[in-house]
Every structure is written in C-alpha cells, then in structure tokens.
Amino acid sequence: GQNIDQPTEMTATEGAIVQINCTYQTSGFNGLFWYQQHAGEAPTFLSYNVLDGLEEKGRFSSFLSRSKGYSYLLLKELQMKDSASYLCAVESNDYKLSFGAGTTVTVRA
Amino acid sequence: DGGITQSPKYLFRKEGQNVTLSCEQNLNHDAMYWYRQDPGQGLRLIYYSQIVNDFQKGDIAEGYSVSREKKESFPLTVTSAQKNPTAFYLCASVGSRGYEQYFGPGTRLTVT
C-alpha cells in the first residue's frame, strides 16, 4: 500500500514563494504527480516526476528524491488564482494512483 | 473536443435507492478510474479498468459496482449497501503509464 503525507494548509502573500512538501512510503513506485484542485472542481495536472531532480514549468517546479521518498512542489510569484488545494499522488506499478489528502494554499493580498 | 464527461453534476437520491453515475470519454484511453472525495480528504480509488470487459476493485469498492462494456464508457452504480454514499465522485482516464490522468468535472451525490 501507499502512505502519503502532505501539510493540511499553507498561507502565503501574493508575489511570494511557497513550497509544499510530500513524503511517501510505497510498495511499488513508478512516478509522482502533482495536481491542482479548485474548490468544487476536478483536479488538473501540474507535473510528473519519475527521475530524481527538479522539473521546472513556468512558475511551478517539482522536485523528487526517490531514495528519501520525498517530493516538493514550488509555486513562485504567487497569484490570487493560485489559491487552491494541491494534491500529491504516487503512481504504483499497476497503473494506480494513490493521493495524499491535499494541501490547501491560501494566497493573501 | 476530446474529453471526459460526467453527468449529472448534482444528483439527489433517497436512502435505499441504487443510483448510476455516468462517465464517458472520447480520448481513446484504455484505462478508466472512479474516485470518491470527501471533505478534507484525498481522492480514494473505488474501481478501475485497464481494458474493455475487465475491471478491478480499488481501496473502497464495497457498496459499489461498475461495468466496462465499451471503451468509452465506465458507469458506476452506488448501491443501497454503501453506508455513506454522499460524496463528490470523480471519473478519470489515462492513455498509458506515466501520463497524467484526465478528470471529468465530477458528480456531487447527496443521499438523504
């Protein structure tokens, strides 16, 4: 099975940087996804890491260390529209995703 | 346009009734998934199907049933045996391993 932990809530100021950590314990690991979910809506894909290191995509970056069972999502130049829940999900060998409970990020002016 | 559709967006049922949630995709994806989301919790996998006419139980399959008779469709039935059916239900599909799951808009089911 999978055990995935991420902080429940984070608050930051517009224009700032926020780092959302995710730790996992897995019985089979294929890759790690980050999704963004606004209230009442479906999750949307942000990033996918399969190898160790940093993947940068515009204002969002994601990092993975497989040996440590650790990932983070970095949000730069925060905007009000970035207020949402951010979900860490681990893909196992059988096509299944296991999701963390999500981190609610609140951006304040 | 390609995508995943779920209908209806909101659904209300009386306790003791079975209800079927629809999920259709025209992305030509092989694998499809059903998740349930409760407030303050992550998505939990109910059932998934990697190919037509085959499906597997996820982590919380009790009280639910599915079918996969066509590649495009993966309906979920919430039976009266499901003790706490009120939740937000999300359907997803993926083309192949290592690619993101595409989610439908979700169905919010309320059972009273």
Side-chain angles (χ1 to χ4, degrees):
Chain A
Q2 318 282 9
N3 186 27
I4 301 167
D5 289 312
Q6 51 182 131
T8 303
E9 294 180 338
M10 301 184 75
T11 301
T13 306
E14 199 173 12
I17 298 173
V18 69
Q19 178 174 313
I20 306 169
N21 296 324
C22 172
T23 58
Y24 62 89
Q25 294 172 311
T26 177
S27 57
F29 179 86
N30 239 23
L32 189 143
F33 289 86
W34 283 97
Y35 283 85
Q36 180 192 60
Q37 186 179 27
H38 284 97
E41 297 182 9
T44 55
F45 170 77
L46 290 178
S47 67
Y48 176 63
N49 293 72
V50 62
L51 300 175
D52 289 353
L54 186 68
E55 295 277 346
E56 297 187 79
K57 193 184 291 186
R59 293 189 299 114
F60 293 0
S61 303
S62 57
F63 172 83
L64 175 67
S65 169
R66 289 173 298 171
S67 62
K68 295 182 180 178
Y70 168 69
S71 173
Y72 68 73
L73 179 69
L74 195 69
L75 314 181
K76 293 179 269 190
E77 302 169 19
L78 278 173
Q79 302 175 9
M80 299 300 286
K81 66 178 181 180
D82 297 331
S83 291
S85 182
Y86 291 85
L87 309 175
C88 173
V90 172
E91 183 186 41
S92 54
N93 295 333
D94 54 357
Y95 256 115
K96 289 167 60 177
L97 284 187
S98 296
F99 285 81
T103 300
T104 300
V105 172
T106 302
V107 180
R108 293 186 174 163
Chain B
D1 286 355
I4 302 178
T5 57
Q6 291 184 246
S7 61
K9 191 168 178 62
Y10 298 95
L11 190 55
F12 298 87
R13 279 293 183 272
K14 294 289 189 184
E15 198 173 310
Q17 293 179 333
N18 290 357
V19 59
T20 297
L21 282 57
S22 79
C23 177
E24 305 281 330
Q25 55 98 0
N26 59 6
L27 299 165
N28 200 33
H29 286 171
D30 287 314
M32 297 185 74
Y33 304 77
W34 272 106
Y35 296 93
R36 169 188 173 133
Q37 188 173 35
D38 295 281
Q41 295 191 37
L43 280 65
R44 292 184 289 167
L45 182 64
I46 304 172
Y47 267 97
Y48 64 108
S49 167
Q50 297 185 12
I51 198 168
V52 175
N53 292 322
D54 187 49
F55 49 83
Q56 288 80 39
K57 293 182 179 180
D59 301 319
I60 54 165
E62 186 176 350
Y64 299 97
S65 66
V66 292
S67 62
R68 186 82 189 279
E69 297 176 2
K70 297 187 299 182
K71 188 175 187 177
E72 303 79 20
S73 179
F74 191 39
L76 173 75
T77 297
V78 184
T79 75
S80 56
Q82 167 50 232
K83 294 189 183 344
N84 297 296
T86 295
F88 187 44
Y89 289 88
L90 286 159
C91 178
S93 71
V94 63
S96 58
R97 177 181 298 163
Y99 289 85
E100 68 269 27
Q101 290 191 8
Y102 287 86
F103 285 85
T107 293
R108 191 166 298 278
L109 173 66
T110 303
V111 176
T112 57

Short mmCIF file of all heavy atoms in Angstrom, two decimals, chain B residues 54-88:
data_model
loop_
_atom_site.label_atom_id
_atom_site.label_comp_id
_atom_site.label_asym_id
_atom_site.label_seq_id
_atom_site.Cartn_x
_atom_site.Cartn_y
_atom_site.Cartn_z
N ASP B 54 -12.97 -5.70 -18.46
CA ASP B 54 -12.16 -6.07 -17.30
C ASP B 54 -12.08 -4.90 -16.34
O ASP B 54 -11.91 -3.75 -16.77
CB ASP B 54 -10.75 -6.48 -17.74
CG ASP B 54 -9.95 -7.02 -16.58
OD1 ASP B 54 -10.46 -7.89 -15.84
OD2 ASP B 54 -8.80 -6.57 -16.40
N PHE B 55 -12.22 -5.18 -15.04
CA PHE B 55 -12.09 -4.12 -14.05
C PHE B 55 -11.65 -4.74 -12.72
O PHE B 55 -11.82 -5.95 -12.49
CB PHE B 55 -13.39 -3.33 -13.88
CG PHE B 55 -14.62 -4.18 -13.68
CD1 PHE B 55 -14.96 -4.68 -12.43
CD2 PHE B 55 -15.46 -4.45 -14.75
CE1 PHE B 55 -16.09 -5.44 -12.24
CE2 PHE B 55 -16.61 -5.21 -14.58
CZ PHE B 55 -16.92 -5.71 -13.32
N GLN B 56 -11.06 -3.92 -11.88
CA GLN B 56 -10.54 -4.36 -10.58
C GLN B 56 -11.05 -3.44 -9.47
O GLN B 56 -11.30 -2.26 -9.69
CB GLN B 56 -9.01 -4.33 -10.55
CG GLN B 56 -8.33 -5.40 -11.37
CD GLN B 56 -8.30 -5.04 -12.84
OE1 GLN B 56 -8.09 -3.89 -13.18
NE2 GLN B 56 -8.52 -6.03 -13.70
N LYS B 57 -11.18 -4.02 -8.28
CA LYS B 57 -11.56 -3.23 -7.12
C LYS B 57 -10.42 -2.33 -6.69
O LYS B 57 -9.25 -2.72 -6.75
CB LYS B 57 -11.93 -4.16 -5.96
CG LYS B 57 -13.19 -4.97 -6.20
CD LYS B 57 -13.51 -5.82 -4.98
CE LYS B 57 -14.78 -6.63 -5.21
NZ LYS B 57 -15.11 -7.47 -4.04
N GLY B 58 -10.79 -1.13 -6.25
CA GLY B 58 -9.82 -0.24 -5.66
C GLY B 58 -9.81 -0.41 -4.15
O GLY B 58 -10.11 -1.49 -3.63
N ASP B 59 -9.52 0.66 -3.45
CA ASP B 59 -9.39 0.59 -1.99
C ASP B 59 -10.72 0.58 -1.24
O ASP B 59 -10.79 0.14 -0.10
CB ASP B 59 -8.55 1.77 -1.51
CG ASP B 59 -7.16 1.78 -2.14
OD1 ASP B 59 -6.57 0.68 -2.27
OD2 ASP B 59 -6.69 2.86 -2.54
N ILE B 60 -11.78 1.11 -1.88
CA ILE B 60 -13.05 1.24 -1.17
C ILE B 60 -14.21 0.77 -2.05
O ILE B 60 -15.20 1.47 -2.24
CB ILE B 60 -13.30 2.69 -0.69
CG1 ILE B 60 -13.18 3.68 -1.86
CG2 ILE B 60 -12.33 3.07 0.42
CD1 ILE B 60 -13.75 5.04 -1.53
N ALA B 61 -14.14 -0.44 -2.59
CA ALA B 61 -15.12 -0.92 -3.56
C ALA B 61 -16.45 -1.37 -2.95
O ALA B 61 -17.45 -1.48 -3.66
CB ALA B 61 -14.51 -2.06 -4.36
N GLU B 62 -16.48 -1.62 -1.66
CA GLU B 62 -17.70 -2.16 -1.05
C GLU B 62 -18.88 -1.20 -1.22
O GLU B 62 -18.80 -0.01 -0.92
CB GLU B 62 -17.47 -2.43 0.44
CG GLU B 62 -18.65 -3.12 1.12
CD GLU B 62 -18.37 -3.47 2.56
OE1 GLU B 62 -17.21 -3.36 2.99
OE2 GLU B 62 -19.32 -3.85 3.27
N GLY B 63 -19.99 -1.75 -1.72
CA GLY B 63 -21.19 -0.94 -1.91
C GLY B 63 -21.27 -0.29 -3.28
O GLY B 63 -22.21 0.45 -3.56
N TYR B 64 -20.30 -0.57 -4.13
CA TYR B 64 -20.26 -0.02 -5.48
C TYR B 64 -20.15 -1.15 -6.50
O TYR B 64 -19.66 -2.23 -6.19
CB TYR B 64 -19.05 0.91 -5.66
CG TYR B 64 -19.02 2.11 -4.76
CD1 TYR B 64 -18.27 2.09 -3.59
CD2 TYR B 64 -19.71 3.27 -5.08
CE1 TYR B 64 -18.22 3.19 -2.75
CE2 TYR B 64 -19.66 4.38 -4.25
CZ TYR B 64 -18.91 4.33 -3.09
OH TYR B 64 -18.87 5.42 -2.26
N SER B 65 -20.59 -0.87 -7.75
CA SER B 65 -20.36 -1.81 -8.84
C SER B 65 -20.12 -1.01 -10.11
O SER B 65 -20.53 0.15 -10.22
CB SER B 65 -21.56 -2.76 -9.01
OG SER B 65 -22.71 -2.04 -9.43
N VAL B 66 -19.42 -1.64 -11.07
CA VAL B 66 -19.10 -0.98 -12.33
C VAL B 66 -19.26 -1.97 -13.47
O VAL B 66 -19.41 -3.17 -13.27
CB VAL B 66 -17.65 -0.44 -12.35
CG1 VAL B 66 -17.46 0.71 -11.37
CG2 VAL B 66 -16.65 -1.56 -12.11
N SER B 67 -19.22 -1.44 -14.69
CA SER B 67 -19.16 -2.26 -15.89
C SER B 67 -18.29 -1.53 -16.90
O SER B 67 -18.13 -0.31 -16.83
CB SER B 67 -20.56 -2.51 -16.46
OG SER B 67 -21.16 -1.28 -16.86
N ARG B 68 -17.71 -2.31 -17.82
CA ARG B 68 -16.89 -1.68 -18.86
C ARG B 68 -17.15 -2.45 -20.17
O ARG B 68 -16.33 -3.21 -20.66
CB ARG B 68 -15.41 -1.76 -18.49
CG ARG B 68 -14.50 -0.99 -19.47
CD ARG B 68 -14.42 0.45 -19.22
NE ARG B 68 -13.73 1.21 -20.22
CZ ARG B 68 -12.40 1.34 -20.31
NH1 ARG B 68 -11.61 0.69 -19.48
NH2 ARG B 68 -11.87 2.11 -21.25
N GLU B 69 -18.33 -2.22 -20.72
CA GLU B 69 -18.73 -2.92 -21.94
C GLU B 69 -18.21 -2.22 -23.19
O GLU B 69 -18.11 -2.84 -24.26
CB GLU B 69 -20.26 -3.02 -21.97
CG GLU B 69 -20.82 -3.86 -20.84
CD GLU B 69 -22.34 -3.88 -20.83
OE1 GLU B 69 -22.96 -3.27 -21.73
OE2 GLU B 69 -22.92 -4.50 -19.91
N LYS B 70 -17.93 -0.93 -23.05
CA LYS B 70 -17.39 -0.17 -24.18
C LYS B 70 -16.16 0.60 -23.71
O LYS B 70 -16.08 1.00 -22.54
CB LYS B 70 -18.42 0.83 -24.71
CG LYS B 70 -19.68 0.20 -25.26
CD LYS B 70 -20.57 1.27 -25.91
CE LYS B 70 -20.99 2.32 -24.91
NZ LYS B 70 -21.89 3.33 -25.52
N LYS B 71 -15.24 0.85 -24.60
CA LYS B 71 -14.02 1.57 -24.24
C LYS B 71 -14.34 2.97 -23.73
O LYS B 71 -13.67 3.51 -22.85
CB LYS B 71 -13.11 1.66 -25.46
CG LYS B 71 -11.73 2.20 -25.19
CD LYS B 71 -10.88 2.12 -26.46
CE LYS B 71 -9.43 2.48 -26.17
NZ LYS B 71 -8.58 2.36 -27.38
N GLU B 72 -15.39 3.58 -24.30
CA GLU B 72 -15.69 4.97 -24.00
C GLU B 72 -16.44 5.17 -22.68
O GLU B 72 -16.51 6.28 -22.17
CB GLU B 72 -16.57 5.57 -25.11
CG GLU B 72 -15.97 5.51 -26.51
CD GLU B 72 -16.11 4.15 -27.15
OE1 GLU B 72 -16.98 3.35 -26.70
OE2 GLU B 72 -15.37 3.85 -28.09
N SER B 73 -16.99 4.11 -22.12
CA SER B 73 -17.93 4.28 -21.03
C SER B 73 -17.57 3.42 -19.82
O SER B 73 -17.21 2.25 -19.96
CB SER B 73 -19.33 3.89 -21.53
OG SER B 73 -20.27 4.01 -20.50
N PHE B 74 -17.70 4.02 -18.63
CA PHE B 74 -17.37 3.30 -17.39
C PHE B 74 -18.34 3.76 -16.30
O PHE B 74 -17.97 4.50 -15.39
CB PHE B 74 -15.92 3.61 -17.00
CG PHE B 74 -15.35 2.75 -15.90
CD1 PHE B 74 -15.63 1.40 -15.81
CD2 PHE B 74 -14.48 3.31 -14.95
CE1 PHE B 74 -15.08 0.62 -14.81
CE2 PHE B 74 -13.92 2.52 -13.95
CZ PHE B 74 -14.22 1.18 -13.88
N PRO B 75 -19.58 3.31 -16.34
CA PRO B 75 -20.57 3.76 -15.35
C PRO B 75 -20.34 3.15 -13.97
O PRO B 75 -19.91 1.99 -13.86
CB PRO B 75 -21.90 3.30 -15.95
CG PRO B 75 -21.54 2.14 -16.83
CD PRO B 75 -20.17 2.43 -17.36
N LEU B 76 -20.67 3.93 -12.95
CA LEU B 76 -20.54 3.50 -11.56
C LEU B 76 -21.92 3.46 -10.92
O LEU B 76 -22.66 4.44 -10.99
CB LEU B 76 -19.66 4.48 -10.79
CG LEU B 76 -19.55 4.26 -9.28
CD1 LEU B 76 -18.66 3.07 -8.96
CD2 LEU B 76 -19.02 5.51 -8.58
N THR B 77 -22.27 2.32 -10.31
CA THR B 77 -23.52 2.22 -9.58
C THR B 77 -23.23 2.26 -8.09
O THR B 77 -22.42 1.48 -7.58
CB THR B 77 -24.29 0.94 -9.94
OG1 THR B 77 -24.64 0.98 -11.32
CG2 THR B 77 -25.56 0.81 -9.11
N VAL B 78 -23.88 3.19 -7.42
CA VAL B 78 -23.80 3.29 -5.97
C VAL B 78 -25.00 2.53 -5.42
O VAL B 78 -26.15 2.93 -5.66
CB VAL B 78 -23.82 4.76 -5.50
CG1 VAL B 78 -23.63 4.86 -4.00
CG2 VAL B 78 -22.76 5.57 -6.23
N THR B 79 -24.77 1.43 -4.75
CA THR B 79 -25.88 0.61 -4.31
C THR B 79 -26.34 1.02 -2.91
O THR B 79 -25.65 1.76 -2.20
CB THR B 79 -25.50 -0.87 -4.30
OG1 THR B 79 -24.65 -1.13 -3.19
CG2 THR B 79 -24.79 -1.26 -5.60
N SER B 80 -27.47 0.47 -2.52
CA SER B 80 -28.02 0.77 -1.19
C SER B 80 -27.13 0.20 -0.08
O SER B 80 -27.28 0.56 1.09
CB SER B 80 -29.43 0.21 -1.06
OG SER B 80 -29.45 -1.17 -1.34
N ALA B 81 -26.20 -0.67 -0.45
CA ALA B 81 -25.29 -1.26 0.54
C ALA B 81 -24.17 -0.30 0.94
O ALA B 81 -23.49 -0.53 1.95
CB ALA B 81 -24.68 -2.55 -0.02
N GLN B 82 -23.98 0.76 0.19
CA GLN B 82 -22.94 1.74 0.52
C GLN B 82 -23.45 2.59 1.68
O GLN B 82 -24.43 3.31 1.56
CB GLN B 82 -22.63 2.59 -0.71
CG GLN B 82 -21.79 3.85 -0.45
CD GLN B 82 -20.53 3.61 0.36
OE1 GLN B 82 -20.27 4.27 1.35
NE2 GLN B 82 -19.74 2.62 -0.06
N LYS B 83 -22.73 2.53 2.81
CA LYS B 83 -23.24 3.13 4.04
C LYS B 83 -23.21 4.66 4.04
O LYS B 83 -24.06 5.30 4.66
CB LYS B 83 -22.45 2.59 5.23
CG LYS B 83 -22.66 1.11 5.46
CD LYS B 83 -22.05 0.64 6.74
CE LYS B 83 -22.14 -0.85 7.02
NZ LYS B 83 -23.10 -1.59 6.24
N ASN B 84 -22.24 5.24 3.42
CA ASN B 84 -22.11 6.71 3.40
C ASN B 84 -21.90 7.19 1.97
O ASN B 84 -20.80 7.59 1.60
CB ASN B 84 -20.94 7.16 4.26
CG ASN B 84 -21.12 6.80 5.73
OD1 ASN B 84 -22.04 7.29 6.37
ND2 ASN B 84 -20.27 5.93 6.24
N PRO B 85 -22.93 7.17 1.14
CA PRO B 85 -22.75 7.45 -0.28
C PRO B 85 -22.61 8.93 -0.62
O PRO B 85 -22.13 9.25 -1.71
CB PRO B 85 -24.03 6.89 -0.90
CG PRO B 85 -25.04 6.98 0.19
CD PRO B 85 -24.30 6.73 1.47
N THR B 86 -22.98 9.83 0.25
CA THR B 86 -22.88 11.26 -0.06
C THR B 86 -21.42 11.65 -0.20
O THR B 86 -20.64 11.52 0.74
CB THR B 86 -23.56 12.09 1.05
OG1 THR B 86 -24.96 11.81 1.06
CG2 THR B 86 -23.34 13.58 0.80
N ALA B 87 -21.04 12.13 -1.39
CA ALA B 87 -19.65 12.48 -1.67
C ALA B 87 -19.56 13.10 -3.06
O ALA B 87 -20.54 13.16 -3.80
CB ALA B 87 -18.76 11.23 -1.60
N PHE B 88 -18.36 13.53 -3.38
CA PHE B 88 -18.03 14.04 -4.71
C PHE B 88 -17.34 12.91 -5.47
O PHE B 88 -16.33 12.38 -5.01
CB PHE B 88 -17.11 15.26 -4.56
CG PHE B 88 -16.81 16.00 -5.82
CD1 PHE B 88 -17.82 16.29 -6.74
CD2 PHE B 88 -15.52 16.45 -6.10
CE1 PHE B 88 -17.55 17.01 -7.89
CE2 PHE B 88 -15.25 17.16 -7.26
CZ PHE B 88 -16.26 17.44 -8.16
#
